[in-house]
Amino acid sequence: MGPRSRVRAAKCQMLVTSFFVLLLGLSLATMAVIMYFGAHSTVISRTSLESNPYKATHCWAFYTGMSLAGLLTLGATLSAAATVREAQGLMAGGFLSFALGFCILAQVTFWRSRNPTQVEDAALDTYDLVYEQAVKTASFVWQQELAAIQDTFLCCGKRSPFGRLGGMEASLCQGEEAAREDCLQGIQSLLRPHQHVLSTLSGIGLALTVYATFLSAFLCFAFRSGHSLDRRGKYAPATQARNRQPQEPSLFRCSQGEPTPRPPSGADAVGDHWGLRGHSEGPRWLQDN
């Protein structure tokens, strides 16, 4: 396979990879918006706690997801445009976007491997704090916030490790609410699928960004060396090849456009020596005399 065939194959692969990277960026943005503005996440993050453990993790996950989605979308758009137009500058921008996206994905993957249940633990800690405030203070505000969380997750209270609940704890779950599942298990069962989807998207994103980075680097160097390779006949962009016109040798151009200079004769040399060159009557007058 020659250089031209390799470049064509790389361009086709770059277009396909950019399409999948664009889909990945849109998926990450959609998931970040759902997790940030969804009812389950909003009801926990907007509690009246002074130090909400879930709110900081919630905001960090949203901004990280949106930044990553923006980088991947930008890289896919720049790489596709650069592949079609054979533009080195656009391809360099796509390479930089893919490299930054890979760094963020690697950091997210490392964080997930070290703290796989950090988001779940933050949500459970927030619920425990609201539950304790509602039980201890018997405040109507805390009971409303606790009821909002339980209605959103379709759960009620939490099971006591001793098997018996106090009077206030038992009064929180009455009637149909008493048949609901434990809120600790309900929150975990609703948040774990989101975490699994996030892990899957992170793995796919790592593979796509690595492949797209190598492709963009190869095409960037190919577009850069296209002018120098053209003289040796290996590779040249099609647009430049059509616009380039063959140039004639300089000797041939002189023979067509300008008279060919003749070597000076003996008489011209003598006339040039006495300052008479250019006067046609000078040498003839000397010969007559």
Side-chain angles (χ1 to χ4, degrees):
M1 182 182 294
R4 183 176 300 179
S5 301
R6 286 196 296 267
V7 171
R8 287 181 179 176
K11 289 171 67 175
C12 295
Q13 296 176 20
M14 189 75 247
L15 291 176
V16 176
T17 306
S18 299
F19 174 73
F20 284 109
V21 172
L22 182 62
L23 289 181
L24 177 63
L26 295 178
S27 301
L28 287 174
T30 303
M31 183 176 179
V33 170
I34 291 176
M35 291 186 64
Y36 188 78
F37 296 101
H40 298 88
S41 300
T42 304
V43 72
I44 298 179
S45 62
R46 292 183 179 179
T47 56
S48 302
L49 296 172
E50 295 181 358
S51 58
N52 191 336
Y54 183 74
K55 188 174 183 180
T57 306
H58 188 221
C59 294
W60 179 85
F62 173 74
Y63 291 122
T64 302
M66 294 302 296
S67 300
L68 182 58
L71 279 175
L72 294 179
T73 304
L74 179 63
T77 305
L78 291 177
S79 299
T83 303
V84 174
R85 299 178 56 183
E86 297 186 355
Q88 179 191 356
L90 295 178
M91 189 60 71
F95 171 80
L96 182 60
S97 300
F98 289 140
L100 292 177
F102 171 78
C103 293
I104 297 177
L105 282 171
Q107 183 66 28
V108 171
T109 304
F110 177 76
W111 170 72
R112 286 283 302 161
S113 63
R114 293 291 301 272
N115 304 297
T117 61
Q118 184 174 357
V119 178
E120 299 176 10
D121 294 342
L124 295 177
D125 291 342
T126 303
Y127 176 78
D128 283 337
L129 293 174
V130 175
Y131 186 83
E132 291 178 1
Q133 293 292 332
V135 172
K136 291 180 179 179
T137 62
S139 173
F140 180 74
V141 177
W142 291 110
Q143 290 181 2
Q144 274 191 334
E145 292 188 357
L146 181 62
I149 295 176
Q150 294 179 159
D151 292 339
T152 303
F153 286 92
L154 298 178
C155 62
C156 187
K158 58 181 182 179
R159 300 293 180 262
S160 173
F162 302 102
R164 297 182 62 183
L165 298 176
M168 189 61 190
E169 295 178 359
S171 64
L172 294 176
C173 299
Q174 296 178 355
E176 297 179 356
E177 296 179 354
R180 295 178 180 177
E181 64 176 343
D182 184 17
C183 282
L184 299 181
Q185 296 179 358
I187 292 174
Q188 287 180 348
S189 62
L190 285 174
L191 291 182
R192 282 182 181 177
H194 294 282
Q195 303 303 317
H196 293 323
V197 172
L198 178 62
S199 300
T200 304
L201 292 178
S202 299
I204 296 174
L206 282 175
L208 285 177
T209 50
V210 169
Y211 193 63
T213 301
F214 281 109
L215 280 178
S216 58
F218 172 76
L219 289 176
C220 186
F221 284 111
F223 296 158
R224 179 179 181 182
S225 58
H227 299 282
S228 60
L229 292 177
D230 179 39
R231 296 183 178 181
R232 292 176 290 178
K234 291 185 178 181
Y235 172 74
T239 55
Q240 296 182 4
R242 288 195 300 265
N243 297 331
R244 187 179 294 109
Q245 298 180 356
Q247 297 182 356
E248 300 175 350
S250 58
L251 181 60
F252 185 72
R253 290 199 306 269
C254 292
S255 62
Q256 287 185 347
E258 299 177 0
T260 305
R262 58 182 180 83
S265 59
D268 293 338
V270 173
D272 188 19
H273 177 72
W274 291 99
L276 298 176
R277 185 176 181 180
H279 301 279
S280 57
E281 298 297 333
R284 186 177 302 174
W285 178 76
L286 290 175
Q287 290 177 2
D288 294 340
N289 292 336

